[in-house]
Structure formats: C-alpha cells, structure tokens
Amino acid sequence: MEVVPKVEIVAKPLKNLSSLDQVFVTIEEPNQLMTISGAWIFEECPEVECIVGELKKWVEMYPVFKQVIKGTKWVDDPSFDLESHLDVVTLPSPGTKKELEDYLSKQMSTPLDMNKPLWKAHLIKGFNGNGGVYFVGLHHCIADGQGAIRMILSLTSTSHEEKILKAGHTMREKKSPTQAPSSSKKKVRAQKIQKLVESLPFGTQISEIFTLLGVFILFNLFLTIADVFLTALIVNIRSLLKWTVFIFTPRRVFNKSSGVTKRVAYSDLIDLQEVKAIGKETGATVNDVLVSNLTSTIRNYLKSTGELEKKSNIACLVPVSMRKPEDWGLGNKVSLILLELPVHIEDPLERLKAIKSRVSDIKTSTEILASYSIIYFGITFLPKFILKLFCNLWTHKFHVLFTNVPGPQTEISFAGKPIKEYYSFVPQPSKGALGVCVLSYNGKVSLSINCDEGHLTPDCGALLKNFTSEFEILKALVQKKSEMKNLSSSSTISEEGQNEESTEEFVQEIQEAIQKLNEEDKLIELEESKQKGYRIADSGFSSLHASDSENSQENSEEETETENNNDEKEDNES
C-alpha cells in the first residue's frame, strides 16, 4: 500500500529588515514616496463584507501587515485595527477612467503612516456603472514587485497548494516511519561500490587512480573558482566605473523639480500573443519587445515636445529579480541594472535590434551579480545620512524606472468576483522622473505611469497613446518584413532595393494613418468641449491649423503676385 505524504505548512514571517529593505525606508521623502500599488477592476463590484473577510485571511497569513517598524525589526502593533486600513468610496459621476485616475493619483500622492502597519486598501464603487475597483498600496520595504504580486495573488481563487506557495510559505513532506533515511541509503550504496571495485583484478590500483583523479578534478575546480572570482572582481570594478561615469552625467530630459502631487495613468491593453509573435519573428524575447515599445513611446513623446536630441539615450533603471523559482516570500531580493534606451534610433526594427543586443550583453555578463553584491554588501556598512546622500546622487540621474511584471495568464477571482483588468504602479526612481510598469494578465499587456503633476505635456495620456500606436506600427512593420522575406525567397530576381523603398513607404503610410486617427480624435474632443461650454487647450491641434492657415495665406499671396506680374506683362506688350 502506497503511503501518501502529508503536507506541513511552514510559515516564514519577516522579523528583521534587510539592508535593501532599510534603503527604501531611508530614501523616502514627501515628494518621492516608496509605495507600490495594484488595482483590480471588476465588472461587478464586490461586497464590503467579502473584502473584509479576505483581508482578515491576508493579515493572518502575513503577520507583517499588523506590525510596525522599530529600529530594524518588525514588531506587533498593539493598536492595530483592520477596518482603519480599508476605505470604501464611490467615484463622482460619471465614474469613468478619468475619475478613477484622479482618485488613484490622490492616493499615490499620500504617504503611508510610518507609525502604523505600512499598507492601505480601497474599495472604489461606481466605476462604469455597477463596476468596482480594489486598490491596495504597500511600502516597498515589505516586498519587491515579484514578492508583492505573488503575495496579493495568494488571496485569489487558486488551488490550496498554490496559495501556500504564493503566500511565502514552504511545503514540507512528513516522511513515513517505514521510509529509510536518504543518508543511510547513500552510505550503503557507497560501501557496495567500494567492495565491488576492490574485488576486481587490480582493484586497489583502480581505486587509487580514481582517488588521484578526484584530487585532480578538485584542484582544477579550485582554479576555476579562483578564475571566476578574479573575473567577477574585474567586472565589479568595471561596473563601478560605469556607474561612476553615469553619476556625473547631467540629466537633460524629465528633469523638472519634483512636487508632492503625483499623477498616475494606465494605457489601453495590447495582446500578449501579438507581442510573442513579434518576438518570435525577430528573435527577441517578450521583454525585449516591450522595452523597445517603451523606447518608441518615449521617443515619439520627446519628438512631439522638441526635446529629442541626436545620439541621446534615456537612462533606465531596471530591477532584476534574484529570487529562486520556489521563493514566494516577502522582502526585497532584487539587483539593479542600467539600461540605456536608444531613443535616437529612428527605425523601429533597428531600435528593437539595439535593445536586444544591449539586454543580451548585460545577461551574459556578471553585471547583475556585481550590482547585487554591491547593493547588499556595500550599503550595509554605510551610515544613514551617507546612504541617503549616495542614493539621492545615484538615482537622480535616471529618467525612468522600468519593471516588467508577469502576472497570471488566466482569469482569477477575488472576494467572489472575477478580475477583468489588472494594473500596477511603481515609485519614481528619482525626483521628476517616470515610474513605468508593464504588467501582463490574462493574455493582455498594460502600461502604467507614475509621474509628477504637470510634468508631461499636456498629461500622461499623451504618452500612453503612443504606447498602443507605436506597437501597431511595430507589428505592421514586422508583418510586412515577413511577407517581403517570403516573397524574396520565392523570387529568382533580387529586389532588395525595391523592398527597402516599399518598407519605408509602408511605415510612412502607417504613421500617416495613425496621425489622421489622432486628428479625428482631437476634432471629436473639441466638438465635445464646445458642447459642454468649456475650451480644451491643445497646442498641437492649434499649431496644425495655424500652419494650414499660414500655408493657405502664402498660397493666396503667391497667386496674387502672379496675377499682378501677368497684368504688367500684358500692359508692356500693349
């Protein structure tokens, strides 16, 4: 009869703050909050009682959510009140995306109370009619992006075993008393092999040869480890020099002074399968395609504002998870890398190629490990005031914090209601910069932005529109390239020059079509604003009409001048 092992749940609560956890506490300021947040959108709003019930399970599963920080330790809060951490509100009419983004922006501008457990939840009613939104924010010192999303998902409708893993616990099997210990089995097996070898002719000599061979292997292993250590040391020094040069490079864009009021927004969804198809066709990863699309989005925005410079790069801070696949716990376990986004490259495919090359170079080097070791061992011994000074100097040079969070690819439920859309918001890497999060959920990909109020012209929506339109351009261009490749492989005559010319014309046609759609949207917005009795300031639309009127005026002047010349000519002839 087969013995079924029993499952024992072993909790791993947080006791102390790690060195990186302490960094997020130290560098927080009123105009640079270290809060990470998530928003779940429901077609039917959950009941308040169901939300409270789920939060009670959450707090019991994670004791840190009823604890406060004392020094470098987590201690229980004797005055903890669960209901004080849940706000229930109703959006003002008409309860659209605009009203939701206004409310979320206000919450992202409000710091968490450091004297209470560092989290806050909101149940937002009245979104698009009967819909609702569950919004929760927690301090970055509790968990990194991967840890936070897995922790939040531990309350969703998954199996019991998945809940245990996602809750930051481990599953330990209790062995049956009839099972022999694994160490005893190994010892018996080694003795049998040794007796078998010694019983053979020249068995003792064979045993000695294997012993010498083992010593030789260990010696070479030692040399290999030493070589790897020296290589890692060189890479560490190289990375340190790279970061030092970066620190003293001025930031030319997204460099306005930071304020307390923040603005968040989220984009329309794009299909994850289409992202994968582009990656498959170009030999790039999903992350490469998304980073390339973000680069195109920023390039288009800078070009529209006149801030795009030749041979310019956008300094992007990218967190890299250092968690093991089975690690679903809390705390921060990330390395940080510097990725320069080539916004100066005009061709979308060349831009994707450059991104792929730069990311590949970082992956094949030991820069990720070097950065991880510097973060965890270097900053541990720094006093707080020096640590804060160093972090402000270091992070102030970044334009963007970019994180790509892979969420569940099937629809999940919370408090008895299915989650239709999922968005995440991350802190700004420095004052005046952008916090950008790309999250995939249920086969869709979204982009969310956290920035300072009034820094983007006219608002965050201008940048987010580029995210979907630039993806459509890249998708169409890759599809066209694929068709041309198939056509050229079946043709006996080389038409490379014609193909390149037709590709450029195709990209131009796509851009003109998207521009036309944007102009039509602006016309619709202008008509709606006139009906409502207020005026929408749109410098781009005004400049477009101004240029048209100037052109028409110049044409009319040229026609008048031509008619006058003809009249003078006729008078002279007569």
Side-chain angles (χ1 to χ4, degrees):
M1 182 178 178
E2 184 180 358
V3 179
V4 180
K6 296 180 180 180
V7 176
E8 178 187 4
I9 302 175
V10 184
K12 292 184 178 179
L14 291 177
K15 295 182 180 179
N16 301 310
L17 280 82
S18 68
S19 56
L20 187 54
D21 297 341
Q22 296 176 46
V23 168
F24 291 113
V25 178
T26 303
I27 66 176
E28 175 165 291
E29 294 182 7
N31 56 353
Q32 189 180 0
L33 303 180
M34 293 293 110
T35 305
I36 52 179
S37 304
W40 293 343
I41 296 180
F42 305 87
E43 288 185 351
E44 185 180 354
C45 187
E47 298 294 333
V48 178
E49 294 76 11
C50 297
I51 296 291
V52 173
E54 296 292 348
L55 288 178
K56 288 180 179 179
K57 297 178 187 176
W58 196 26
V59 170
E60 291 303 319
M61 192 177 293
Y62 300 98
V64 70
F65 289 102
K66 52 183 178 181
Q67 294 179 328
V68 294
I69 298 176
K70 294 294 184 183
T72 59
K73 295 182 179 297
W74 292 100
V75 297
D76 291 336
D77 180 14
S79 60
F80 172 70
D81 179 21
L82 176 64
E83 295 187 0
S84 67
H85 287 264
L86 175 63
D87 286 345
V88 181
V89 298
T90 302
L91 288 179
S93 181
T96 62
K97 179 181 177 181
K98 180 184 181 303
E99 285 74 30
L100 176 61
E101 288 180 345
D102 290 342
Y103 182 81
L104 298 184
S105 299
K106 182 179 179 182
Q107 302 311 314
M108 290 294 291
S109 307
T110 305
L112 296 169
D113 189 349
M114 299 299 292
N115 296 318
K116 297 180 179 180
L118 298 176
W119 65 279
K120 187 75 175 181
H122 307 261
L123 178 60
I124 307 167
K125 298 181 178 181
F127 178 65
N128 289 336
N130 296 326
V133 179
Y134 177 70
F135 179 74
V136 59
L138 55 95
H139 201 280
H140 212 318
C141 68
I142 295 178
D144 52 35
Q146 289 284 349
I149 192 171
R150 293 169 180 176
M151 170 197 60
I152 294 173
L153 291 175
S154 65
L155 291 179
T156 60
S157 58
T158 54
S159 66
H160 178 65
E161 288 77 11
E162 289 175 329
K163 279 187 178 181
I164 294 170
L165 291 176
K166 292 178 181 178
H169 306 316
T170 59
M171 293 172 58
R172 179 184 303 166
E173 292 185 357
K174 288 185 175 180
K175 295 185 177 296
S176 171
T178 59
Q179 293 177 318
S182 58
S183 59
S184 300
K185 288 183 178 180
K186 292 179 180 179
K187 188 175 181 180
V188 171
R189 191 180 299 114
Q191 291 175 354
K192 288 182 179 179
I193 293 174
Q194 183 178 1
K195 289 181 180 180
L196 178 62
V197 172
E198 291 177 352
S199 64
L200 296 173
F202 305 102
T204 305
Q205 289 83 352
I206 293 174
S207 179
E208 291 176 354
I209 290 173
F210 274 105
T211 302
L212 292 173
L213 182 62
V215 173
F216 177 77
I217 292 174
L218 287 175
F219 180 71
N220 278 275
L221 181 62
F222 172 76
L223 293 178
T224 304
I225 293 174
D227 182 61
V228 170
F229 175 77
L230 291 175
T231 304
L233 181 62
I234 294 172
V235 172
N236 277 342
I237 295 174
R238 188 186 305 166
S239 299
L240 187 60
L241 291 174
K242 173 185 174 182
W243 287 99
T244 304
V245 172
F246 166 72
I247 286 175
F248 292 99
T249 303
R251 192 176 71 181
R252 293 184 174 87
V253 295
F254 303 130
N255 56 356
K256 297 179 182 179
S257 59
S258 182
V260 176
T261 306
K262 305 300 176 183
R263 186 71 192 176
V264 300
Y266 58 90
S267 71
D268 294 332
L269 301 175
I270 61 177
D271 197 325
L272 180 59
Q273 292 302 321
E274 294 179 349
V275 178
K276 292 181 178 179
I278 293 175
K280 184 178 180 180
E281 188 66 32
T282 58
T285 64
V286 170
N287 191 68
D288 294 338
V289 176
L290 293 175
V291 173
S292 176
N293 197 53
L294 173 66
T295 307
S296 302
T297 301
I298 296 176
R299 169 188 163 80
N300 198 329
Y301 173 78
L302 294 177
K303 188 176 180 180
S304 66
T305 58
E307 298 178 276
L308 184 64
E309 299 178 359
K310 293 183 178 179
K311 295 184 178 181
S312 60
N313 290 298
I314 292 294
C316 185
L317 179 64
V318 183
V320 179
S321 177
M322 302 299 289
R323 293 174 179 272
K324 297 178 181 179
E326 66 275 9
D327 183 2
W328 295 75
L330 300 180
N332 289 273
K333 301 172 185 177
V334 294
S335 179
L336 300 172
I337 61 171
L338 166 62
L339 178 62
E340 295 181 316
L341 306 182
V343 293
H344 62 281
I345 299 178
E346 185 174 359
D347 184 83
L349 290 179
E350 290 297 322
R351 204 155 47 234
L352 174 58
K353 185 178 179 181
I355 290 290
K356 177 186 172 185
S357 176
R358 295 183 183 190
V359 173
S360 178
D361 289 343
I362 293 174
K363 286 181 179 179
T364 54
S365 70
T366 56
E367 181 177 343
I368 297 176
L369 184 61
S371 175
Y372 185 72
S373 60
I374 291 173
I375 291 172
Y376 273 88
F377 299 107
I379 65 178
T380 304
F381 305 101
L382 293 177
K384 281 191 175 182
F385 72 96
I386 296 179
L387 174 63
K388 189 170 185 177
L389 180 65
F390 172 76
C391 290
N392 288 336
L393 176 65
W394 177 59
T395 60
H396 184 66
K397 301 299 179 180
F398 286 102
H399 303 95
V400 178
L401 167 68
F402 172 78
T403 179
N404 178 17
V405 182
Q409 294 311 306
T410 56
E411 187 177 86
I412 57 177
S413 299
F414 176 70
K417 304 296 181 181
I419 300 171
K420 295 301 179 181
E421 297 177 25
Y422 186 4
Y423 301 95
S424 183
F425 303 94
V426 296
Q428 298 168 279
S430 59
K431 299 172 183 177
L434 305 178
V436 178
C437 179
V438 171
L439 187 142
S440 59
Y441 167 67
N442 196 21
K444 301 293 182 181
V445 180
S446 66
L447 174 74
S448 60
I449 294 179
N450 176 26
C451 65
D452 285 276
E453 177 76 29
H455 276 203
L456 297 182
T457 306
D459 53 26
C460 296
L463 184 62
L464 291 174
K465 280 185 179 179
N466 294 334
F467 181 70
T468 52
S469 61
E470 288 296 324
F471 180 76
E472 292 299 324
I473 291 176
L474 180 62
K475 182 178 68 173
L477 186 56
V478 170
Q479 185 178 0
K480 183 69 175 179
K481 280 284 187 182
S482 178
E483 293 174 357
M484 292 166 56
K485 183 179 179 181
N486 295 333
L487 183 62
S488 62
S489 63
S490 61
S491 176
T492 57
I493 302 175
S494 175
E495 299 178 351
E496 183 178 354
Q498 297 179 6
N499 288 341
E500 290 179 357
E501 184 178 356
S502 62
T503 301
E504 294 176 359
E505 293 175 354
F506 183 70
V507 173
Q508 187 174 2
E509 289 175 1
I510 297 173
Q511 292 175 341
E512 290 175 354
I514 292 176
Q515 184 178 2
K516 185 177 180 181
L517 290 173
N518 291 336
E519 290 175 2
E520 290 177 356
D521 291 341
K522 291 176 182 179
L523 286 171
I524 293 172
E525 290 177 0
L526 185 62
E527 291 297 329
E528 291 178 351
S529 66
K530 288 180 178 179
Q531 293 175 2
K532 292 180 180 179
Y534 60 86
R535 180 180 179 184
I536 296 178
D538 192 333
S539 59
F541 184 76
S542 301
S543 62
L544 178 64
H545 279 269
S547 62
D548 290 341
S549 62
E550 289 175 2
N551 290 335
S552 62
Q553 185 177 359
E554 290 177 0
N555 292 335
S556 62
E557 290 176 358
E558 289 177 0
E559 292 175 0
T560 304
E561 185 178 355
T562 303
E563 293 176 359
N564 293 334
N565 291 336
N566 291 336
D567 293 337
E568 290 177 2
K569 186 176 180 180
E570 290 176 0
D571 293 336
N572 292 333
E573 288 178 353
S574 63

